[in-house]
């Protein structure tokens, strides 16, 4: 059974998608052992409580400096000894300590088709504002492994979503979630739990079920 820590900061709809897809058997051989949040007011914490999943808050406001916050985050994650860390709307750059301790075992959902609209300043609603500003006709979402830089790790899955003439950042965000994020994030976790994702340099290879 793959032990999964999910890191969240806000509404937690991606967390909910993972919870639901484990419950209905779409994600096999995985369990969420811990939810970690950096924001005490996040609705994601209520979702975890409702699902009976142990959840905790590690807020930077409770620590004297960034380094102490980063150490506390790593210590909290280590308590659960996860096989996989899933960043599901986690608005904290992953500290180098966590990257080093869990290299190749951290994945992130990003609400655009990387390498478009990613990197510094591209998170949450801003990503969709920038896509609309630039006038692209297609956007989407990406699940990728996390490395030391922002949004640069090997890509696991992507799904495209059409932009509509009358889209606002909010309508686009919702459609990208519904048509892409809530599908490919659970799918990536299932593939990893089945041992079907291999990192090969900057790329990943998805192995056939029979391999
Ligand atoms: C999601 O759209 C996720 O892709 C995005 O934040 C939102 C969180 O929503 N993540 C990033 O922008 C990371 N760079 P949720 O809390 O409802 O899952």
């Amino acid at each position: 059974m793959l032990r999964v820590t999910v890191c969240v900061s806000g509404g937690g709809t991606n967390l909910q998608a993972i919870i639901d897809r484990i419950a209905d058997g779409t994600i096999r051989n995985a369990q969420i052992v811990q939810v970690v949040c950096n924001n005490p007011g996040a609705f994601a914490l209520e979702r975890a409580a409702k699902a009976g999943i142990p959840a905790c808050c590690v807020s930077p406001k409770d620590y004297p400096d960034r380094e102490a916050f980063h150490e506390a985050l790593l210590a909290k994650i280590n308590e659960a000894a996860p096989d996989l860390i899933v960043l599901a709307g986690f608005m904290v750059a992953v500290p180098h300590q966590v990257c080093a301790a869990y290299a190749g075992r951290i994945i992130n959902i990003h609400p655009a088709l990387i390498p478009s609209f990613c990197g510094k300043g591209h998170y949450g609603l801003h990503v969709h504002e920038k896509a609309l500003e630039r006038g692209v006709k297609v956007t989407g979402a990406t699940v990728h492994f996390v490395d030391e830089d922002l949004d640069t790790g090997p890509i696991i899955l992507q799904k495209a979503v059409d932009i509509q003439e009358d889209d606002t950042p909010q309508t686009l965000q919702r459609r990208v979630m519904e048509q892409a994020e809530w599908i490919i994030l659970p799918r990536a976790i299932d593939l990893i739990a089945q041992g079907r994702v291999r990192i090969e340099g900057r790329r990943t290879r998805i192995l056939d079920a029979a391999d």
Side-chain angles (χ1 to χ4, degrees):
M1 193 67 103
L2 190 83
R3 296 171 58 81
V4 180
T5 285
V6 183
C7 296
V8 293
S9 297
T13 64
N14 278 286
L15 168 65
Q16 191 65 55
I18 301 166
I19 292 170
D20 294 346
R21 297 292 79 78
I22 289 175
D24 71 14
T26 305
I27 301 176
R28 296 156 289 174
N29 207 30
Q31 59 171 330
I32 304 175
V33 292
Q34 178 188 49
V35 168
V36 177
C37 187
N38 64 313
N39 164 19
F43 187 66
L45 287 169
E46 290 184 38
R47 295 182 191 272
K50 193 158 173 240
I53 299 166
C56 60
C57 184
V58 183
S59 166
K61 296 197 179 98
D62 296 333
Y63 298 91
D65 55 37
R66 214 64 196 163
E67 195 62 16
F69 166 59
H70 289 167
E71 289 297 340
L73 200 58
L74 177 61
K76 188 49 84 178
I77 292 170
N78 283 343
E79 281 177 20
D83 302 307
L84 180 71
I85 300 173
V86 177
L87 310 182
F90 190 53
M91 304 304 175
V92 173
V94 181
H96 65 88
Q97 299 95 319
V98 178
C99 279
Y102 292 91
R105 292 187 288 155
I106 311 173
I107 64 171
N108 177 52
I109 178 82
H110 184 75
L113 294 173
I114 289 174
S116 289
F117 310 113
C118 65
K120 203 170 166 6
H122 290 85
Y123 59 90
L125 206 57
H126 299 302
V127 178
H128 305 293
E129 285 167 0
K130 289 179 179 164
L132 290 176
E133 244 168 57
R134 182 60 188 83
V136 292
K137 303 291 186 189
V138 175
T139 184
T142 303
V143 184
H144 63 95
F145 282 106
V146 172
D147 60 16
E148 298 276 345
D149 286 319
L150 216 49
D151 302 330
T152 52
I155 291 169
I156 305 168
L157 294 175
Q158 294 188 297
K159 193 164 188 295
V161 174
D162 284 338
I163 288 179
Q164 294 173 4
E165 287 293 330
D166 59 350
D167 263 329
T168 63
Q170 289 79 6
T171 62
L172 184 56
Q173 180 181 52
R174 181 76 191 178
R175 207 163 55 262
V176 168
M177 285 174 160
E178 284 174 357
Q179 295 184 5
E181 296 185 42
W182 301 340
I183 298 165
I184 63 172
L185 184 56
R187 171 106 183 109
I189 296 168
D190 180 61
L191 287 169
I192 291 168
Q194 307 307 313
R196 293 180 52 197
V197 181
R198 187 189 295 160
I199 299 176
E200 297 180 348
R202 286 210 73 191
R203 313 168 71 156
T204 66
R205 181 189 295 270
I206 309 295
L207 305 175
D208 288 343
D211 282 1

